[in-house]
Amino acid sequence: MKINMECSQSNIELVIIEKNITNHNNQKSTSLMFTKRSLIRSITCILKKLHAGYFRISLSFGGQALLWKTLIDPTNDTSKSRHVLSMLPSSVFIVLWSMSLFILALLSLLYLLRCLFFFKMVKEEFLHHVGVNYLFAPWISWFLLLQSAPFIAPKTITYLILWWVFTVPVVVLDVKIYGQWFTKGKRSFLTTVANPTSHLSVIGNLIGAQAAAEMGWKESAVCLFSLGMVHYLVLFVTLYQRLSGGDRLPALLRPVFFLFFAAPGVASLAWESIVGDFDTLSKMLFFLSLFLFMSLVCRPALFKRSMRRFNVAWWAYSFPVTVLAMASTNYAQQVKGTVSHILMLILLALSVLVSFSLTLFTLLNSKMLLPDNDPIASILIV
Amino acid sequence: MENHITLEIIEQASPPETPSLIKYISSNELEDFDEFDSEFPSPISKESEETYNHQRKPSISVSMPLCYKETQLQSLNNNNNKNVSFSGENVIIRDDLASGIAMSEPPRQSKFKSQPMPKGVAFQQDGSQTRKANRNHNQPGIKMFRDKRFDSFKTWSGGGLERQLSILRGKEPIGNAQDGNNATRSFDRALPVDRYFDALEGPELETLKSSEEIMLPHDKQWPFLLRFPVSSFGICLGVSSQAILWKTLATSPTTEFLHITPKINLILWYISAVLIATIFAVYILKLLFYFEAVRREYYHPIRVNFFFAPWIALLFLALGVPPSVTKNLHQSLWYILMAPILFLELKIYGQWMSGGQRRLSKVANPSNHLSVVGNFVGALLGASMGLIEGPIFFFAVGLAHYTVLFVTLYQRLPTNATLPKELHPVFFLFVAAPSVASMAWAKMQGSFDYGSRIAYFIALFLYFSLAVRINFFRGFKFSLAWWAYTFPMTGAAIATIRYSNQVPNIVTKSLCIALALISTFTVIALLLSTILHAFVFRDLFPNDIAIAISDRKRKPHKHWLFRYGSQDSKEIENYLKFVNTDESSLDDSTPQPSSNDTDHNLPK
């Protein structure tokens, strides 16, 4: 394993030296011990480097899974393109979903281990203005998987229990973080900590609202929705004002600017689930998301610096585009017409392309997945 | 290089007092220079035109080949005291009040060495540029016909156009190949927004601070095109909104008792159509001939919002079209009209979002409302044409950005340099967005429902809170931009009429009439003062100082070239640019050469 190799460079030497010393009798047992040791070392290495930002990967996969579920679900959109898309074999979708489940489970497990063994690092993440927002990412991913699960229908008891399991941490985090924005001291003021990743807290609420609405729990859906939207309003204004200039986001993290249009996209989907219909408010949110997307796409210079080397922040591109594609699908369903369907197809193609290329890039550059100078990790690693 | 001293004398339209002998010599000597191109390592040839020294000192600069930086300029006027200063590389002749040799060149030059061509140079690479610059320097004598001071603002194509024109007129085609090149080359770098804040003051950022200098002559009247600001489109806004008002008055059920004839709308509409066409034509001429000036207006934090004004005026025209002219407009017209607005918005809101030096907390000012109102007007027009999705799109975008702008302006952040400290007619723009939004929402929903009413009441409140402070609106210098501030009043009047259609009672009706009267009177008063300024005072278009600010604040600094004999008390604009103090910007409209972001150099 490549990853193993880079973590355990120091081990090899040790292994070789020791191997030479011991005699052949013990060779087998010692080599076993060494592989165990090197395994432990590599895992420790991974745990040290795996910060919450890696959940972007599970976010993307979850988003894709939900997108495809939306597409192959029965719909009253009678257009040809939708018809063609719905002919996608459900087996492909199940494979996709299982893959997302596997990745999410793996990441969650690793992160859990990190909490157990390196709690100090997790705490530092929590205190960092960018890292703290990614603590929402696992829960969002779980929500996405829950909604796209092929075998759990929304009105079952399993769904309900799982919804509670995922919502409670989100609300706890909400209370902590939003409360900090307006009560705590200087360093936690919204104007100083606001950055595009703060949208993740908003998205967390909105996704929870959507999941609740699917269950039929309208009140909690509206509750979470209003919570998300009001903080989105504050965040939107603050981020546009940019009081403190460059907003302290390292250049490598510029891909998170895509979260700007992820939030209204999720809001649009959530409102649609609540009301049942893609009404004017959903349309307005969808259009806002579309406008922000166009505005970012027209500014490639913003992202140039972060595109020089592969790093896990690139995964931040995928989820927002997927969300936009989902919203456009619902929009096309509501507003029948060629333009909307063309838009839907374009966004779908873009979303699939982005996710696929990211996967490819990651597999090709798996060594760089856990780099030594990751922007967030470097701040957190002592 | 020792011997290649170019003595350049820039002449102006009125020949200076410089003795003809010198001129003769120079033109002779310089004949050969064209062949010396190779000796001139591609310097930045912006020099020539760029710096127009501000103050009326005649100055002659003699530059050594290597450094093409100096540029002379100067127009005569008064004193002839010239100082000749020599330095290792430059021979500068200035008079006592020395003109600044404003270099707008590559920021980081500490020596007069040959400079690499700046990346932003739009056309012509090295060789040809140099050649042209040479020629420019080398044939001063011939240029007596035209006032060269404004060349830096001219477009290359404009220069070519003039050449054609002058050929047609039978003048000799002055070695004017270079006339064109000059211009924009000198300003390949966009002025950072901080320069505008530093150099200008006043609620419209029009007045020059006393410590600043401008690049064009202070005392002379500039060419008309250079004096024609983009805020002239405000006139179109004012007049066309009046047309809509009178149309609404004539066709609304609640105001039928007034028996307003639709002819007023017709006349006003034709007038505004003609006005818009004229102003468009003039501005397009300015774009063709003085592209640099247009560019500088675009980078001005307040004027940039007026770039929305032409399109909004066209939208108003479409809204106010008299029923006798046409009943239904084609839907594709809407798409055509909204395309430029969409494009401008993507640019400007993107600048707000990406931070950098044009972020909102820094540049927010009431004129930004112009960039937001366009959305609502477009939504209104689209809805009245029967479109559904398009209006919702623009309404959503406008609403989101209006919220941001509204909060920011109300906050009056201390980091915000552009907000006028005292009341000024520009504040009436606050009323524009909510009133148009209420009308747009009403049209989209089909009736003046709660959403529209909320927006309408907000507009009304803002209107009254400004109207009662009317006393504070005195004592401001009249400017053309005031026309733009009348359309919110008209908009509020129209919204009131629509509201009274829904809720007809005596209060709303009287409010209609009152607001309509106020707006009409204001427009008439404005019209009168415009005519007064145009024909009596003749200062309707004063020199547009705001676009002529120099690139660099004048300050003395250590790397002065040695000048002796210079007795000037004021500082001379330094040749050498320091590193800009701007923070590294994410924004692509600040093409500062930096080691990391070299791709930001192209001004966009």
Side-chain angles (χ1 to χ4, degrees):
Chain A
M1 256 199 348
K2 277 191 203 163
I3 298 176
N4 260 342
M5 286 307 288
E6 81 175 356
C7 289
S8 48
Q9 292 292 335
S10 47
N11 300 348
I12 301 174
E13 247 182 356
L14 189 67
V15 169
I16 295 171
I17 294 172
E18 297 215 27
K19 256 194 172 165
N20 288 338
I21 298 173
T22 57
N23 54 15
H24 295 278
N25 285 351
N26 297 334
Q27 217 170 10
K28 257 196 189 162
S29 52
T30 41
S31 54
L32 249 152
M33 217 164 57
F34 291 144
T35 37
K36 229 201 280 182
R37 214 180 283 177
S38 56
L39 199 67
I40 294 181
R41 257 181 242 253
S42 53
I43 293 189
T44 319
C45 203
I46 296 177
L47 285 187
K48 274 198 185 153
K49 293 186 182 169
L50 188 97
H51 54 81
Y54 283 83
F55 279 96
R56 290 185 190 111
I57 306 179
S58 61
L59 263 184
S60 312
F61 274 101
Q64 279 292 304
L66 188 57
L67 174 66
W68 286 106
K69 174 151 201 265
T70 325
L71 282 177
I72 66 176
D73 261 355
T75 167
N76 55 3
D77 186 355
T78 49
S79 81
K80 275 228 176 85
S81 39
R82 192 61 190 272
H83 188 63
V84 166
L85 286 167
S86 62
M87 297 214 288
L88 186 84
S90 55
S91 48
V92 174
F93 164 68
I94 295 194
V95 167
L96 178 65
W97 189 85
S98 334
M99 205 161 62
S100 326
L101 182 66
F102 170 68
I103 292 179
L104 182 57
L106 179 66
L107 278 171
S108 308
L109 182 66
L110 286 173
Y111 203 76
L112 196 64
L113 287 176
R114 180 179 155 106
C115 286
L116 286 175
F117 293 119
F118 296 106
F119 186 66
K120 197 154 166 274
M121 295 183 122
V122 175
K123 194 143 181 270
E124 280 180 27
E125 258 187 84
F126 183 73
L127 293 173
H128 187 261
H129 67 289
V130 170
V132 67
N133 297 305
Y134 275 99
L135 295 178
F136 281 94
W139 310 110
I140 302 177
S141 315
W142 280 112
F143 267 122
L144 288 170
L145 274 184
L146 180 65
Q147 281 185 282
S148 57
F151 48 83
I152 305 181
K155 311 241 182 197
T156 57
I157 194 81
T158 336
Y159 194 100
L160 183 69
I161 296 179
L162 285 173
W163 184 85
W164 272 110
V165 168
F166 302 143
T167 307
V168 168
V170 168
V171 173
V172 165
L173 271 172
D174 267 352
V175 168
K176 184 90 181 76
I177 292 172
Y178 292 156
Q180 259 179 358
W181 283 1
F182 69 94
T183 55
K184 221 165 168 216
K186 232 169 160 213
R187 285 192 57 210
S188 309
F189 281 162
L190 183 59
T191 46
T192 43
V193 303
N195 64 80
T197 55
S198 312
H199 282 117
L200 277 172
S201 52
V202 169
I203 295 178
N205 289 312
L206 293 171
I207 284 271
Q210 186 184 8
E214 302 257 315
M215 267 201 311
W217 282 30
K218 286 285 184 336
E219 297 309 311
S220 18
V222 173
C223 169
L224 283 172
F225 182 80
S226 48
L227 204 62
M229 283 315 279
V230 84
H231 289 98
Y232 177 57
L233 179 69
V234 175
L235 190 64
F236 188 72
V237 173
T238 311
L239 283 178
Y240 253 91
Q241 284 181 334
R242 281 293 202 281
L243 284 174
S244 50
D247 99 329
R248 309 165 59 207
L249 201 67
L252 281 176
L253 282 180
R254 296 264 174 87
V256 305
F257 267 81
F258 268 43
L259 283 174
F260 259 106
F261 65 88
V266 180
S268 157
L269 290 170
W271 187 249
E272 195 210 352
S273 303
I274 293 178
V275 173
D277 189 24
F278 208 84
D279 72 342
T280 313
L281 181 60
S282 296
K283 282 190 201 175
M284 282 174 42
L285 287 164
F286 168 63
F287 287 134
L288 180 63
S289 172
L290 193 62
F291 178 82
L292 292 171
F293 170 68
M294 288 196 305
S295 156
L296 278 174
V297 157
C298 292
R299 309 181 89 78
L302 201 59
F303 302 103
K304 271 210 167 97
R305 270 176 80 180
S306 62
M307 297 300 283
R308 288 193 190 146
R309 257 185 7 142
F310 176 74
N311 68 83
V312 77
W314 285 22
W315 276 96
Y317 289 132
S318 164
F319 175 66
V321 181
T322 313
V323 163
L324 191 60
M326 271 195 275
S328 75
T329 314
N330 292 354
Y331 175 69
Q333 183 178 325
Q334 173 80 11
V335 175
K336 309 178 200 315
T338 16
V339 177
S340 48
H341 281 95
I342 293 179
L343 185 65
M344 169 183 87
L345 287 172
I346 294 177
L347 287 171
L348 275 176
L350 197 64
S351 149
V352 171
L353 187 69
V354 169
S355 305
F356 185 69
S357 359
L358 278 173
T359 321
L360 211 62
F361 267 115
T362 312
L363 289 175
L364 288 174
N365 294 324
S366 52
K367 205 164 64 145
M368 300 182 69
L369 199 57
L370 287 165
D372 288 325
N373 59 346
D374 192 66
I376 295 186
S378 54
I379 307 168
L380 304 175
I381 291 180
V382 178
Chain B
M1 87 183 172
E2 325 58 48
N3 319 329
H4 308 260
I5 298 181
T6 351
L7 196 71
E8 299 144 311
I9 303 169
I10 309 289
E11 13 322 283
Q12 300 65 36
S14 43
E17 303 72 311
T18 40
S20 53
L21 179 62
I22 298 178
K23 267 189 282 193
Y24 172 75
I25 291 173
S26 61
S27 37
N28 258 357
E29 267 184 2
L30 307 177
E31 296 303 0
D32 308 342
F33 270 22
D34 286 13
E35 284 71 52
F36 288 143
D37 287 350
S38 52
E39 309 223 8
F40 302 125
S42 55
I44 287 78
S45 29
K46 321 182 164 199
E47 54 319 305
S48 25
E49 328 328 285
E50 18 185 352
T51 49
Y52 282 119
N53 205 2
H54 342 291
Q55 309 319 4
R56 349 51 212 213
K57 323 357 186 195
S59 68
I60 305 172
S61 85
V62 175
S63 60
M64 303 286 283
L66 261 191
C67 5
Y68 254 152
K69 293 232 69 159
E70 317 42 8
T71 30
Q72 36 321 171
L73 18 142
Q74 249 10 90
S75 55
L76 44 344
N77 284 75
N78 2 26
N79 20 24
N80 282 349
N81 320 342
K82 298 176 184 24
N83 296 329
V84 180
S85 47
F86 287 82
S87 73
E89 294 167 45
N90 299 304
V91 176
I92 304 148
I93 301 179
R94 323 195 157 75
D95 59 4
D96 44 19
L97 302 186
S99 22
I101 304 230
M103 292 300 166
S104 54
E105 273 350 288
R108 302 202 189 100
Q109 277 170 255
S110 49
K111 296 269 182 175
F112 250 127
K113 297 228 165 81
S114 54
Q115 310 296 334
M117 292 303 261
K119 282 189 189 176
V121 172
F123 38 85
Q124 279 145 15
Q125 291 311 314
D126 309 286
S128 50
Q129 255 182 342
T130 326
R131 183 158 296 130
K132 289 190 177 173
N134 286 350
R135 266 191 252 134
N136 198 13
H137 287 296
N138 302 346
Q139 295 161 357
I142 311 177
K143 295 183 204 163
M144 290 169 56
F145 301 104
R146 299 170 10 178
D147 194 333
K148 292 274 159 273
R149 283 169 295 167
F150 304 103
D151 277 357
S152 63
F153 282 70
K154 286 206 181 141
T155 323
W156 182 80
S157 55
L161 204 56
E162 291 188 15
R163 193 177 359 134
Q164 301 299 329
L165 290 175
S166 61
I167 291 178
L168 283 173
R169 272 181 277 153
K171 290 191 185 155
E172 47 186 280
I174 313 167
N176 276 355
Q178 68 284 17
D179 262 351
N181 65 11
N182 38 0
T184 41
R185 225 117 27 81
S186 41
F187 307 102
D188 60 322
R189 203 168 62 89
L191 275 184
V193 85
D194 278 330
R195 271 306 294 150
Y196 288 98
F197 290 147
D198 287 340
L200 298 166
E201 58 187 358
E204 286 165 356
L205 277 189
E206 302 256 317
T207 11
L208 194 66
K209 285 193 185 156
S210 42
S211 59
E212 292 290 329
E213 286 195 329
I214 54 173
M215 301 181 66
L216 297 174
H218 222 163
D219 51 337
K220 210 162 154 20
Q221 202 182 44
W222 305 348
F224 176 71
L225 283 182
L226 265 186
R227 288 183 281 130
F228 192 79
V230 70
S231 23
S232 326
F233 280 106
I235 310 180
C236 313
L237 284 179
V239 179
S240 43
S241 57
Q242 278 294 303
I244 305 180
L245 173 66
W246 289 96
K247 175 181 176 187
T248 321
L249 276 173
T251 53
S252 280
T254 39
T255 48
E256 298 221 301
F257 66 94
L258 291 169
H259 300 290
I260 309 273
T261 155
K263 288 219 176 58
I264 304 185
N265 168 37
L266 195 68
I267 298 175
L268 278 172
W269 191 84
Y270 276 120
I271 293 179
S272 41
V274 167
L275 253 176
I276 291 184
T278 322
I279 298 188
F280 247 107
V282 175
Y283 205 76
I284 290 184
L285 281 176
K286 182 178 181 183
L287 191 72
L288 288 174
F289 281 109
Y290 288 105
F291 182 69
E292 180 53 31
V294 173
R295 212 156 148 260
R296 278 163 160 249
E297 284 202 290
Y298 180 72
Y299 289 123
H300 189 283
I302 293 189
R303 298 278 182 86
V304 65
N305 301 300
F306 282 90
F307 280 86
F308 283 89
W311 317 109
I312 301 181
L314 286 175
L315 286 171
F316 278 164
L317 260 193
L319 276 168
V321 64
S324 46
V325 173
T326 167
K327 269 274 190 247
N328 282 320
L329 292 167
H330 199 261
Q331 288 189 348
S332 53
L333 180 69
W334 186 83
Y335 290 104
I336 297 175
L337 286 177
M338 292 310 288
I341 294 187
L342 179 67
F343 174 69
L344 267 173
E345 272 180 356
L346 281 174
K347 192 85 185 79
I348 295 191
Y349 296 163
Q351 278 175 347
W352 294 359
M353 174 166 61
S354 64
Q357 59 162 299
R358 279 171 210 275
R359 59 184 182 272
L360 194 57
S361 57
K362 204 161 170 198
V363 303
N365 62 82
S367 317
N368 282 125
H369 281 286
L370 279 173
S371 42
V372 173
V373 160
N375 292 304
F376 295 125
V377 180
L380 178 60
L381 180 64
S384 48
M385 279 180 172
L387 295 162
I388 304 179
E389 301 303 311
I392 298 184
F393 177 86
F394 281 100
F395 193 86
V397 174
L399 188 64
H401 293 91
Y402 177 64
T403 321
V404 177
L405 184 65
F406 190 72
V407 172
T408 310
L409 287 175
Y410 249 87
Q411 283 178 330
R412 298 201 76 142
L413 294 166
T415 52
N416 189 322
T418 41
L419 275 179
K421 304 285 178 295
E422 59 283 316
L423 267 187
H424 184 271
V426 72
F427 276 90
F428 267 102
L429 282 178
F430 269 92
V431 180
S435 48
V436 184
S438 75
M439 285 192 281
W441 190 252
K443 256 295 183 329
M444 276 158 50
Q445 299 301 105
S447 72
F448 212 90
D449 67 350
Y450 287 125
S452 313
R453 288 181 207 198
I454 291 177
Y456 171 66
F457 290 134
I458 294 177
L460 211 58
F461 171 75
L462 289 168
Y463 193 117
F464 281 133
S465 63
L466 284 172
V468 297
R469 291 179 163 73
I470 199 73
N471 270 331
F472 299 118
F473 283 111
R474 307 235 186 121
F476 287 103
K477 192 169 164 318
F478 170 81
S479 89
L480 267 183
W482 286 31
W483 277 96
Y485 312 143
T486 59
F487 93 84
M489 282 193 250
T490 320
I494 305 175
T496 314
I497 298 176
R498 298 242 183 270
Y499 176 63
S500 67
N501 278 344
Q502 192 84 14
V503 182
N505 61 46
I506 191 72
V507 175
T508 55
K509 286 194 188 180
S510 38
L511 199 58
C512 283
I513 301 181
L515 289 183
L517 279 176
I518 294 178
S519 102
T520 314
F521 280 143
T522 316
V523 169
I524 292 181
L526 211 53
L527 183 67
L528 287 175
S529 48
T530 310
I531 294 180
L532 203 68
H533 277 269
F535 298 114
V536 176
F537 299 146
R538 295 188 174 270
D539 66 349
L540 189 60
F541 293 105
N543 280 351
D544 197 4
I545 313 274
I547 56 165
I549 56 176
S550 58
D551 216 37
R552 200 86 189 127
K553 205 176 171 86
R554 286 164 29 105
K555 51 187 173 202
H557 76 91
K558 302 124 193 153
H559 297 289
W560 276 132
L561 297 170
F562 175 62
R563 300 166 358 239
Y564 66 52
S566 108
Q567 318 149 357
D568 56 279
S569 42
K570 282 205 205 158
E571 345 176 285
I572 297 181
E573 193 79 52
N574 42 356
Y575 301 83
L576 321 174
K577 294 292 178 196
F578 280 133
V579 174
N580 250 352
T581 51
D582 283 347
E583 67 269 15
S584 66
S585 156
L586 312 176
D587 189 2
D588 58 354
S589 69
T590 55
Q592 297 170 23
S594 73
S595 48
N596 299 335
D597 300 279
T598 48
D599 37 18
H600 280 228
N601 265 353
L602 293 170
K604 290 185 189 171

